[in-house]
Amino acid sequence: MSLFTVRPSLTKTRPPNDGHTGAMLRDALEALGIVHHVDKPWRTLSSEYLVCSVPGRARVRIHCAADPSARTSEGRLFADHYDLPVATLWYVGAVVTDDKSTRLVFHGFGDGRNPTASAGMQAGQCAAAVAGHFGLTAPEPEYTCLHCTRVIEWIEADGQGAWYDSSNWIGCVDGESLHVPEPLCGWCEDYGLIEVLDDSTDALKGHATCDNAPCVARRIMRRDQAERERQAAQAQAAAHECTGALCCPPF
């Protein structure tokens, strides 16, 4: 079967452990609540795009460009596609065409020294750039209990907090166990860091920043949101006019 068989949706995208970009992009987009589907907009094209959309806005099309030196087992060049093997990835690109122009929303280049990490990083950055283009903010993460799989939330009470069932504020089904949130990121268990071990002794050498696509996307969105809030507060402070000696600190 050809690598680029037409797929009507992301349901046939290769699984994450298969080392392809489609699953990384899907997970990063879903982590930010971006609606997307697979589309082949023109029959003359040999590849499919990942199309992102919000009501009333021009669609953003994502594709992955293959390294010009990469070859299939038959010796053919890899065609650009949204679901490339990460080892062949050159860069991830996102383009929008509206009544103003056709322009890039995101454009990244791969790092040949570590193609898998580069693919995950680019997928997260691309998803964050698309979310920024659409003016979306990162949705509140939804946690499920590791024991009973119910949706749970952290409730503060009298200076202390606990995880409760979102529907009726009860414990796990046995009535005794406490809810425990399942990590959102299976790579770093939501710590944001991955342990780096020695190949021969398994000794801990240090830590590396997690570059799982959803983790990267959430990190970038939080950073950008904090920067927007900082700029808004700065602009508000600059526009403020004091009305008296006790208007603004220090008094």
Side-chain angles (χ1 to χ4, degrees):
M1 183 177 69
S2 170
L3 176 64
F4 305 118
T5 301
V6 173
R7 301 178 181 87
S9 71
L10 274 174
T11 57
K12 294 185 179 180
T13 295
R14 292 173 176 81
N17 59 2
D18 202 22
H20 281 69
T21 57
M24 294 180 176
L25 286 165
R26 176 196 61 204
D27 293 346
L29 292 168
E30 288 180 352
L32 298 180
I34 301 174
V35 177
H36 54 281
H37 67 280
V38 175
D39 186 27
K40 188 174 182 179
W42 301 283
R43 294 192 178 189
T44 54
L45 289 179
S46 60
S47 62
E48 296 164 295
Y49 286 76
L50 206 52
V51 181
C52 307
S53 57
V54 298
R57 298 289 299 274
R59 295 178 174 181
V60 174
R61 304 186 186 277
I62 300 175
H63 76 284
C64 297
D67 189 321
S69 63
R71 296 288 191 278
T72 66
S73 56
E74 293 82 14
R76 300 194 305 269
L77 288 171
F78 280 90
D80 292 355
H81 198 268
Y82 82 92
D83 197 21
L84 285 176
V86 294
T88 69
L89 178 68
W90 186 23
Y91 67 84
V92 177
V95 179
V96 63
T97 299
D98 54 21
D99 54 357
K100 297 180 181 177
S101 64
T102 296
R103 59 195 181 279
L104 290 168
V105 173
F106 175 80
H107 193 279
F109 290 93
D111 180 355
R113 294 169 298 177
N114 194 349
T116 303
S118 176
M121 185 68 73
Q122 287 193 55
Q125 291 174 338
C126 181
V130 173
H133 169 76
F134 285 142
L136 301 176
T137 57
E140 289 295 325
E142 184 177 271
Y143 289 93
T144 57
C145 179
L146 201 59
H147 300 150
C148 64
T149 69
R150 290 177 176 172
V151 176
I152 56 177
E153 59 182 323
W154 180 262
I155 303 295
E156 290 284 349
D158 298 329
Q160 297 181 341
W163 290 98
Y164 289 95
D165 188 315
S166 296
S167 60
N168 51 18
W169 285 33
I170 62 174
C172 280
V173 288
D174 60 9
E176 297 180 359
S177 301
L178 296 175
H179 286 299
V180 176
E182 185 175 8
L184 297 173
C185 178
W187 291 17
C188 68
E189 305 295 314
D190 293 346
Y191 286 102
L193 296 173
I194 296 177
E195 293 183 343
V196 179
L197 305 177
D198 186 272
D199 293 336
S200 58
T201 66
D202 285 337
L204 179 63
K205 296 169 57 179
H207 295 81
T209 302
C210 179
D211 63 354
N212 189 12
C215 211
V216 171
R218 283 191 293 268
R219 186 164 62 242
I220 294 174
M221 287 293 289
R222 286 195 295 268
R223 181 199 66 195
D224 292 346
Q225 187 170 356
E227 177 61 20
R228 286 194 296 269
E229 291 174 355
R230 187 194 67 80
Q231 291 179 359
Q234 191 176 38
Q236 184 177 8
H240 176 73
E241 296 182 1
C242 287
T243 57
L246 298 180
C247 177
C248 302
F251 300 123

